[in-house]
Amino acid sequence: MKRYRAIADYYDAENDRLAWLQHDVPFFLRQLPKRAQDVLELATGTARAAIPIAQAGHRVVGVDYAQEMLEIARRKRDAVGLRDRELSLVHADVLELDLHRKFDWVTIFFNTFLSFTTLRQQDAVLQVARRHLKPHGRQGGLWLDIFQPNLALMASDESRGIDPAIFYVPHLNRAVFMSVDVKRDPSKQLQQITFNYRWFDDRGRERKQKTRFDLTFIFPRELQILLERNGFRIEKMFGDHDGGELNADSARIIARCRLA
């Protein structure tokens, strides 16, 4: 199964259009104590979340297996004046991570957990989170943010050309049209996602590019069982970044967890 790997040059530009990504980090920050916290972000990407968390005064380590994403993250970190001791960026696979230190919080934002599509991978990620958490009760924990499955969409085996959008990539001077294709296999609890990109070069010729990866989908009770068997207790489950309770209409499943 193919894990998600973004086209690094497009990542920030294509996600700027997602309004809810303006709210997930502020919501997380409101859960933290006022004093500085040690935060580990798994699959940090271009440090979209890690940078504002560090700017809020917390000590952050961001880990990702994609070197090209981390290069962008380092440029962004340096541009806003953060130092390595405030935001450290580590090239590593989170499935095998051992930093030999403990954190107040471990975070997995933006559906990232769903890119680990097998139970073995999910257990491995949660054990990594557990291994890196300080054993101090109610003063820290695991923060996990994924989408809640949309049953109407799940009823269709395939969706093509959904979520069309245009975004601009300044450093490439390129306007890109993007659409998404999804193939679903409920028997494997798997979605094959294809991001399709089209643009025109400086000679007016059409160019195409795509990236394909797999995502699983997880229901609330299933997530609870998965967390509990890996030594976590869900303290609170939210349905969106406004702090509302999880219900049938919620777009998100946001779990704030403690070590059991």
Side-chain angles (χ1 to χ4, degrees):
M1 297 180 184
K2 189 171 182 180
R3 284 169 63 184
Y4 174 62
R5 189 152 189 154
I7 296 175
D9 282 331
Y10 293 172
Y11 184 80
D12 285 331
E14 73 181 63
N15 288 316
D16 275 348
R17 64 193 173 87
L18 301 177
W20 65 270
L21 289 184
Q22 306 302 315
H23 304 290
D24 63 338
V25 174
F27 181 53
F28 168 68
L29 287 171
R30 292 197 295 272
Q31 311 298 312
L32 302 189
K34 292 182 179 180
R35 66 180 182 279
Q37 301 282 285
D38 295 314
V39 180
L40 171 62
E41 186 191 5
L42 301 180
T44 195
T46 63
R48 177 194 68 86
I51 286 173
I53 294 171
Q55 288 176 315
H58 305 291
R59 298 173 294 270
V60 185
V61 174
V63 179
D64 205 284
Y65 82 123
Q67 188 68 265
E68 65 273 20
M69 298 284 275
L70 289 175
E71 289 172 3
I72 293 173
R74 290 188 183 98
R75 292 198 296 269
K76 290 167 60 178
R77 176 195 64 187
D78 296 346
V80 298
L82 290 170
R83 294 161 293 184
D84 186 71
R85 68 172 177 266
E86 296 161 325
L87 172 54
S88 176
L89 296 165
V90 177
H91 181 224
D93 190 337
V94 300
L95 290 171
E96 302 172 352
L97 186 68
D98 191 350
L99 297 175
H100 303 288
R101 59 175 289 195
K102 304 285 188 180
F103 296 81
D104 298 299
W105 292 88
V106 175
T107 63
I108 312 176
F109 287 103
F110 192 22
N111 301 326
T112 301
F113 187 69
L114 301 177
S115 67
F116 302 101
T117 55
T118 68
L119 288 173
R120 182 190 64 81
Q121 290 177 335
Q122 292 161 11
D123 285 342
V125 172
L126 293 175
Q127 285 301 311
V128 163
R130 180 178 176 81
R131 181 163 63 240
H132 287 87
L133 277 172
K134 296 177 182 177
H136 52 12
R138 296 180 57 83
Q139 298 304 309
L142 171 67
W143 184 265
L144 184 61
D145 188 342
I146 61 177
F147 69 77
Q148 177 163 232
N150 183 316
L151 296 181
L153 286 175
M154 295 296 171
S156 174
D157 292 338
E158 185 173 3
S159 302
R160 297 184 63 84
I162 62 175
D163 198 21
I166 296 176
F167 59 87
Y168 179 67
V169 186
H171 70 281
L172 297 178
N173 191 27
R174 178 182 299 172
V176 181
F177 175 77
M178 174 187 180
S179 65
V180 182
D181 299 334
V182 183
K183 292 183 179 180
R184 303 177 183 88
D185 185 346
S187 69
K188 297 178 181 177
Q189 209 156 317
L190 197 67
Q191 300 183 94
Q192 183 188 77
I193 313 293
T194 304
F195 287 173
N196 304 294
Y197 304 98
R198 293 192 295 118
W199 74 95
F200 292 90
D201 65 18
D202 55 7
R203 296 185 179 181
R205 296 172 297 189
E206 185 180 44
R207 300 294 189 181
K208 296 181 179 180
Q209 197 171 6
K210 65 177 58 181
T211 184
R212 180 172 292 142
F213 56 95
D214 294 327
L215 286 183
T216 190
F217 48 92
I218 297 175
F219 293 91
R221 186 180 297 179
E222 179 184 8
L223 179 62
Q224 178 183 349
I225 293 169
L226 186 61
L227 288 163
E228 288 178 352
R229 83 179 197 172
N230 281 284
F232 291 97
R233 173 178 57 83
I234 296 176
E235 183 180 65
K236 181 74 174 179
M237 198 174 274
F238 305 97
D240 214 329
H241 302 114
D242 59 4
E245 294 283 341
L246 178 69
N247 58 47
D249 297 321
S250 297
R252 312 293 306 166
I253 305 173
I254 307 164
R256 188 180 71 206
C257 313
R258 305 294 183 191
L259 292 174

